[in-house]
Amino acid sequence: MRPLIIIGNWKMNGSLATNQDWVKTVARGMESGMPAGRQFVVCPPFPYLAQCSVLIKEYSLAFLSLGAQDASAHESGAYTGEVAASMLKEMGCTYVIVGHSERRQFHHEVDEVVAAKALQVLDNGMTPVICVGETADERNSGRAEEVVCSQVAKQVNVLQDRLVDCLIAYEPVWAIGTGKVASAQVAQDMHCTIRLQLAEFNDDVASHVGILYGGSVKPDNAVELFAMPDIDGGLVGGASLNPQDFLAICQA
Ligand code: PGA
């Protein structure tokens, strides 16, 4: 049985003061217990990882893990501005998002780079959350499955059996930050397609890999999405900034 995993991606938001309030509010909300068989993760911007790591320990938030939004494809060296996976591990991260559509769009990250990042994350004992997804144009021209399957295939080629230790996040680009959530059925169909594709490679990988949905997940659509058989949780952007909304999604 795959656990339900909810990951909050703060993107480039937060401050020392608001982060403190967020963790405090989530800690209070989680105090009375959370549904069993679920995992929760928060991904703050790099400079706040240390603060959030300390806060999570201070509030004894056993339910909440720390994640990062990206990692370098390189181990170490002359890569100004980059952050190595080993550094994220040292800061207490257990999950790292790679290949988010905003990285692909604004930083021209291609599938090969995404796979190299995932390998670095795996080599450092953390779980990569590999993002895939089609744009509105690609969906409207009937190419959604082809595009997503090609992104997944490139990860399969490089990561092979190590995919079993990864998460995949299906995030249709047209649904990210737009309020236009994919219907639960549209999301389920794509998740099922991805799982069947993985099964062609290796049944064990297909049955173990968690496939999360991302794109305008909110408290009022989370229940329906998470009820789908191939949706194993959510990668939540905007709604994760509000601790009450994040809690509501975690409990959905
Ligand atoms: P959103 O972002 O929830 O704000 O649509 C999701 C994401 O980019 O991971």
Side-chain angles (χ1 to χ4, degrees), residues 7-9 11 97 100-102 131 169 171-172 175-179 213-218 235-240:
I7 303 180
N9 171 14
K11 308 194 180 186
I97 300 169
H100 190 281
S101 68
E102 287 149 16
C131 301
E171 297 207 300
I176 296 179
T178 58
Y213 168 79
S216 297
V217 176
K218 303 269 184 294
L235 180 52
V236 187
S240 75

Side-chain angles (χ1 to χ4, degrees), residues 220-235:
D220 61 4
N221 56 34
V223 174
E224 207 189 341
L225 286 163
F226 299 165
M228 290 291 160
D230 287 298
I231 300 185
D232 304 313
L235 180 52

Side-chain angles (χ1 to χ4, degrees), residues 17-216:
T18 58
N19 303 346
Q20 172 117 30
D21 286 346
W22 191 97
V23 178
K24 200 167 152 185
T25 308
V26 167
R28 274 207 204 111
M30 289 188 171
E31 236 166 37
S32 47
M34 295 299 284
R38 297 191 176 195
Q39 290 166 16
F40 312 109
V41 184
V42 62
C43 301
F46 292 138
Y48 298 133
L49 288 172
Q51 179 204 17
C52 291
S53 174
V54 169
L55 285 170
I56 287 172
K57 281 199 198 98
E58 203 175 293
Y59 287 99
S60 314
L61 268 171
F63 292 112
L64 190 66
S65 305
L66 190 66
Q69 299 174 16
D70 188 30
S72 175
H74 306 282
E75 204 177 312
S76 65
Y79 301 101
T80 303
E82 295 251 51
V83 176
S86 59
M87 300 170 185
L88 300 173
K89 176 77 177 175
E90 271 198 318
M91 297 318 294
C93 291
T94 45
Y95 293 82
V96 183
I97 300 169
V98 294
H100 190 281
S101 68
E102 287 149 16
R103 302 285 322 168
R104 291 176 188 259
Q105 186 183 351
F106 303 126
H107 302 272
H108 313 292
E109 279 183 19
V110 294
D111 292 310
E112 290 72 14
V113 172
V114 175
K117 290 183 170 198
L119 277 178
Q120 285 295 328
V121 174
L122 285 166
D123 285 348
N124 284 279
M126 300 175 289
T127 304
V129 184
I130 303 167
C131 301
V132 296
E134 81 285 358
T135 63
D137 282 353
E138 288 161 347
R139 175 157 287 268
N140 295 336
S141 58
R143 297 178 51 230
E145 284 196 4
E146 177 198 328
V147 168
V148 170
C149 288
S150 142
Q151 292 170 338
V152 172
K154 300 218 177 81
Q155 301 307 313
V156 173
N157 285 344
V158 176
L159 301 171
Q160 298 280 307
D161 289 347
R162 298 188 76 186
L163 258 182
V164 79
D165 296 319
C166 301
L167 292 172
I168 291 178
Y170 167 57
E171 297 207 300
V173 180
W174 47 270
I176 296 179
T178 58
K180 285 188 214 155
V181 65
S183 73
Q185 194 56 55
V186 163
Q188 162 59 26
D189 289 348
M190 188 62 87
H191 284 228
C192 179
T193 301
I194 295 170
R195 206 175 298 287
L196 289 174
Q197 184 187 2
L198 294 177
E200 277 172 32
F201 164 68
N202 179 324
D203 278 333
D204 196 40
V205 168
S207 59
H208 278 92
V209 167
I211 308 177
L212 315 186
Y213 168 79
S216 297

